[in-house]
Amino acid sequence: DADVTQTPRNRITKTGKRIMLECSQTKGHDRMYWYRQDPGLGLQLIYYSFDVKDINKGEISDGYSVSRQAQAKFSLSLESAIPNQTALYFCATMPSGGNEQFFGPGTRLTVL
Amino acid sequence: GIQVEQSPPDLILQEGANSTLRCNFSDSVNNLQWFHQNPWGQLINLFYIPSGTKQNGRLSATTVATERYSLLYISSSQTTDSGVYFCAVDPYGGSQGNLIFGKGTKLSVKP
């Protein structure tokens, strides 16, 4: 019954490979976010989207791209993965005019 | 940009003890949330509290926006409270919803 789902939950890949992480939500929220968490640190914003046609870079967007396929779907791509992109990736949603973000379960990505 | 500092960075408690976690932020904020990251990595919303006081069971939180800090109180701690507690703020005048996270307080509750 998760309202925000992420696939895959775990992924191991090799340097130079392209990889896509997917996020889906059933909350009906317009706003969606991708964050990255490095070990021992808080989360940092990669990209965010206020609706299907509105996509914005966050603090650490280099090396990443996103696609908002529908209100409910927001994908994060690593065009050519590198080892320092090994991290825990979170998707989050928030309603327009709202104030509280809700997070998915996370995707643990390892780049060898 | 805004700075978010949490203290203490690590905390070890005996089951049943009480604790207070602190979050200081360097500028005005629209939003402040507290999260618990459990040992499996999941982020659980605890409180949305840009100002005032809220309580939920053994947990309560207070934010004094004018003095730029928030406190999270955990009473009668249990081993299931273990994990990392994050404070996150949405800076006033920002793009709304772009949360800036502190580095967290790692809590270990011993039986």
Side-chain angles (χ1 to χ4, degrees), chain B residues 20-93:
Chain B
T20 301
L21 282 58
R22 187 176 181 101
C23 172
N24 292 334
F25 43 96
S26 61
D27 210 340
S28 300
V29 299
N30 292 318
N31 172 16
L32 187 146
Q33 288 184 248
W34 282 98
F35 297 91
H36 174 214
Q37 187 168 37
N38 66 23
W40 296 270
Q42 293 182 314
L43 278 170
I44 300 162
N45 288 40
L46 297 178
F47 294 102
Y48 160 68
I49 186 164
S51 63
T53 297
K54 291 186 177 180
Q55 181 157 7
N56 184 2
R58 295 182 296 103
L59 273 61
S60 64
T62 295
T63 298
V64 183
T66 53
E67 297 187 20
R68 298 180 183 168
Y69 73 88
S70 183
L71 302 174
L72 178 69
Y73 305 96
I74 304 174
S75 64
S76 304
S77 59
Q78 301 176 358
T79 55
T80 52
D81 294 332
S82 296
V84 183
Y85 290 80
F86 288 105
C87 165
V89 303
D90 178 11
Y92 180 78

Side-chain angles (χ1 to χ4, degrees), chain A residues 9 31 33 35 37 40-45 48 50 59 88 90 94 97 99-105 108, chain B residues 30-31 33 35 37 39-43 45-48 86 90 95-104:
Chain A
R9 294 294 311 280
R31 299 183 176 190
Y33 304 80
Y35 291 87
Q37 184 182 26
L41 297 179
L43 281 66
Q44 293 178 280
L45 184 66
Y48 61 102
F50 286 173
E59 314 170 63
L88 187 55
F90 287 98
M94 188 172 80
N99 296 293
E100 190 172 0
Q101 286 193 28
F102 298 88
F103 284 77
R108 194 171 297 276
Chain B
N30 292 318
N31 172 16
Q33 288 184 248
F35 297 91
Q37 187 168 37
W40 296 270
Q42 293 182 314
L43 278 170
N45 288 40
L46 297 178
F47 294 102
Y48 160 68
F86 288 105
D90 178 11
S95 300
Q96 295 191 7
N98 302 342
L99 292 178
I100 306 298
F101 281 74
K103 292 185 178 180

Side-chain angles (χ1 to χ4, degrees), chain A residues 3-5 23-30 32 68 71-72 93:
Chain A
D3 292 331
V4 184
T5 58
C23 176
S24 295
Q25 52 113 350
T26 58
K27 288 184 169 294
H29 291 172
D30 289 324
M32 298 187 73
R68 185 82 184 265
Q71 186 207 38
T93 72

Side-chain angles (χ1 to χ4, degrees), chain A residues 1 7 11 14 23 30 33 35 38 40 56 59-60 64-65 70-71 79 85 88-89 92 96 98 100-101 106:
Chain A
D1 287 285
T7 56
R11 179 71 183 267
K14 295 182 178 180
C23 176
D30 289 324
Y33 304 80
Y35 291 87
D38 293 295
N56 305 279
E59 314 170 63
I60 56 165
Y64 301 94
S65 62
Q71 186 207 38
E79 297 301 324
Q85 291 178 313
L88 187 55
Y89 290 85
S96 294
E100 190 172 0
Q101 286 193 28

Side-chain angles (χ1 to χ4, degrees), chain A residues 64-85:
Chain A
Y64 301 94
S65 62
V66 291
S67 173
R68 185 82 184 265
Q69 300 95 325
Q71 186 207 38
K73 295 184 183 295
F74 193 34
S75 300
L76 176 72
S77 293
L78 288 67
E79 297 301 324
S80 180
I82 56 177
N84 75 2
Q85 291 178 313

